Amino acid sequence: MPTERKFPPSKLSTLEKGQEIKLPVEFIQELSSALSLQEVLDSVSQWIHKLFDAERASITLQNGHDFLKLYSISGNKAIPLDYDVPIADTFVGRVFSKRTLTVCDDLEQSHELDCQLLSQYGLKTCMDAPLISGDICLGTLNVAHNQTNYYTELHALKLQCLANWIALNIRLHLQVKELKYLASTDHLTGAPNRRAFTTAIIQSIREFHEQGKLFFIGLMDIDHFKALNDRYGHNAGDYVLRKVVKVTEDLVGNLGHISRIGGEEFAIILNQSCEQEAVKLFKAIKDALANTVINYDGEEIYFTVSIGVTHIAQGDDTPESLLKRSDKALYNAKSMGRNRVNTFTTTRLLN
């Protein structure tokens, strides 16, 4: 059995009386000025590396039900950045699951995966603390040294206190990130919402005028969507909306993105410099959706979309002119039979 020492909260509380933790002012200022979660994690790992005279300091955060991901490392790269560490059968996973700071005094005696990796790179001992905020364990804060039996009870107290303080900071950043996501995401389809679309198109217009990056915009509307809802029910309509986003995202890939800007209306920003290629992709989206069959509640649901397309021009300084042209193209597509792609720059329908 490996040599281990465990420090549950009850044991650490007996060590707290009369103890003080002194931190560099630079650390406090750097942490308070961090604008992103990654900046917080990088700052913490670098300073923990110094404060504990460690060969390696790292931070993991939970990544799904079964893994902890390494988000920041300072020092020895025995376990690389972005590595997914299994929660099961690992030292760091036990610390996370049990929510108990634990010291492995001799890594060579451990058969757990992460301890073996650290040992192979010359490290002799490690100490991992759970990042606990309220009733949630977010991940772990870890240090390792090249001497066995290096860490003391006071080291353990200090690391856990820092982990508790840092966990609060991390949780606040995660909550802000979640709020931003909710504010910019359509809850039904998972696509960016109208607010996010407005931000994106303003940015695309700016990049066109500053860097010459051409882009196209397509307004897409599901044909006869009210009739579909009336016939099959709103739950079926919701399923159709989600399917539209999924099919479109798969086809657009990294060339752009789709946003839901209204009930059954979507906007697609396509980063493309060739009109022929852009229209070809919009046609592919239209055809793929027309060929989509949704099996819902024992029935097969078919639907089509109409798309109005235009591209950025020198006179476009705000989204309004682009939206007006693409909306006119969409109106023409619908008035001429639906299930069509129509561009503002030509009256020819591209079926």
Side-chain angles (χ1 to χ4, degrees), residues 228-241:
L228 187 153
N229 271 331
D230 291 343
R231 179 176 178 180
Y232 299 105
H234 287 279
N235 287 338
D238 290 347
Y239 196 95
V240 170
L241 292 169

Side-chain angles (χ1 to χ4, degrees), residues 91-110:
F91 182 79
V92 72
R94 281 198 291 121
V95 170
F96 171 78
S97 299
K98 300 297 184 180
R99 302 188 179 192
T100 299
L101 185 147
T102 307
V103 179
C104 180
D105 288 310
D106 190 349
L107 290 168
E108 289 185 356
Q109 295 186 44
S110 174

Side-chain angles (χ1 to χ4, degrees), residues 7-21 101 153-165:
F7 294 85
S10 58
K11 184 174 182 179
L12 289 173
S13 64
T14 64
L15 304 173
E16 291 175 356
K17 293 182 179 180
Q19 300 298 330
E20 295 181 356
I21 294 179
L101 185 147
E153 290 184 342
L154 291 181
H155 282 134
L157 175 62
K158 184 175 181 180
L159 187 67
Q160 188 61 70
C161 288
L162 287 171
N164 294 341
W165 174 54

Side-chain angles (χ1 to χ4, degrees), residues 218-220 278-287 305-310 329-330 332-334 338-344 346-351:
L219 287 186
M220 180 169 68
V279 173
K280 182 179 178 180
L281 182 51
F282 281 118
K283 286 178 59 182
I285 294 169
K286 183 263 297 181
D287 292 341
V305 300
S306 299
I307 307 176
V309 179
T310 193
L330 174 61
N332 289 337
K334 283 186 169 292
R338 293 182 170 81
N339 190 26
R340 298 172 183 267
V341 174
N342 182 242
T343 67
F344 179 83
T346 176
T347 57
R348 180 171 62 89
L349 290 175
L350 301 146
N351 298 310

Side-chain angles (χ1 to χ4, degrees), residues 90-346:
T90 60
F91 182 79
V92 72
R94 281 198 291 121
V95 170
F96 171 78
S97 299
K98 300 297 184 180
R99 302 188 179 192
T100 299
L101 185 147
T102 307
V103 179
C104 180
D105 288 310
D106 190 349
L107 290 168
E108 289 185 356
Q109 295 186 44
S110 174
H111 297 293
E112 291 172 309
L113 173 63
D114 48 343
C115 290
Q116 291 179 346
L117 290 172
L118 294 175
S119 179
Q120 289 172 12
Y121 279 77
L123 297 169
K124 301 297 184 181
T125 184
C126 71
M127 176 170 59
D128 296 0
L131 290 164
I132 299 174
S133 176
D135 60 348
I136 297 174
C137 187
L138 304 170
T140 63
L141 178 61
N142 323 295
V143 290
H145 203 274
N146 60 6
Q147 296 179 26
T148 58
N149 302 291
Y150 180 78
Y151 294 114
T152 67
E153 290 184 342
L154 291 181
H155 282 134
L157 175 62
K158 184 175 181 180
L159 187 67
Q160 188 61 70
C161 288
L162 287 171
N164 294 341
W165 174 54
I166 292 161
L168 175 60
N169 198 301
I170 292 173
R171 189 173 184 179
L172 289 174
H173 275 271
L174 289 173
Q175 288 174 340
V176 170
K177 184 178 180 180
E178 177 68 12
L179 288 173
K180 287 182 178 179
Y181 173 80
L182 292 174
S184 62
T185 304
D186 173 53
H187 74 281
L188 177 63
T189 64
N193 60 17
R194 190 178 190 96
R195 176 179 179 179
F197 165 72
T198 301
T199 300
I201 193 172
I202 290 173
Q203 177 64 25
S204 294
I205 292 171
R206 183 181 300 114
E207 290 178 355
F208 168 73
H209 289 295
E210 294 177 353
Q211 305 172 35
K213 291 184 178 180
L214 188 65
F215 70 92
F216 289 76
I217 177 174
L219 287 186
M220 180 169 68
D221 192 85
I222 301 175
D223 299 324
H224 303 298
F225 188 66
K226 183 179 183 302
L228 187 153
N229 271 331
D230 291 343
R231 179 176 178 180
Y232 299 105
H234 287 279
N235 287 338
D238 290 347
Y239 196 95
V240 170
L241 292 169
R242 289 192 288 267
K243 194 68 173 179
V244 167
V245 170
K246 178 64 169 63
V247 171
T248 303
E249 285 179 338
D250 288 345
L251 288 170
V252 171
N254 59 7
L255 292 176
H257 57 82
I258 178 174
S259 302
R260 185 185 178 199
I261 60 173
E264 69 270 25
E265 190 172 24
F266 301 85
I268 303 167
I269 295 177
L270 192 60
N271 300 313
Q272 181 63 261
S273 59
C274 173
E275 181 173 356
Q276 183 178 1
E277 291 299 316
V279 173
K280 182 179 178 180
L281 182 51
F282 281 118
K283 286 178 59 182
I285 294 169
K286 183 263 297 181
D287 292 341
L289 292 171
N291 292 322
T292 296
V293 182
I294 294 178
N295 295 302
Y296 184 84
D297 199 21
E299 296 198 59
E300 292 185 340
I301 301 176
Y302 297 86
F303 63 95
T304 61
V305 300
S306 299
I307 307 176
V309 179
T310 193
H311 62 77
I312 184 73
Q314 286 294 337
D316 295 319
D317 295 319
T318 64
E320 283 71 26
S321 54
L322 278 161
L323 293 173
K324 184 177 180 180
R325 293 201 304 272
S326 54
D327 190 55
K328 183 175 182 180
L330 174 61
Y331 175 83
N332 289 337
K334 283 186 169 292
S335 64
M336 300 179 75
R338 293 182 170 81
N339 190 26
R340 298 172 183 267
V341 174
N342 182 242
T343 67
F344 179 83
T345 55
T346 176

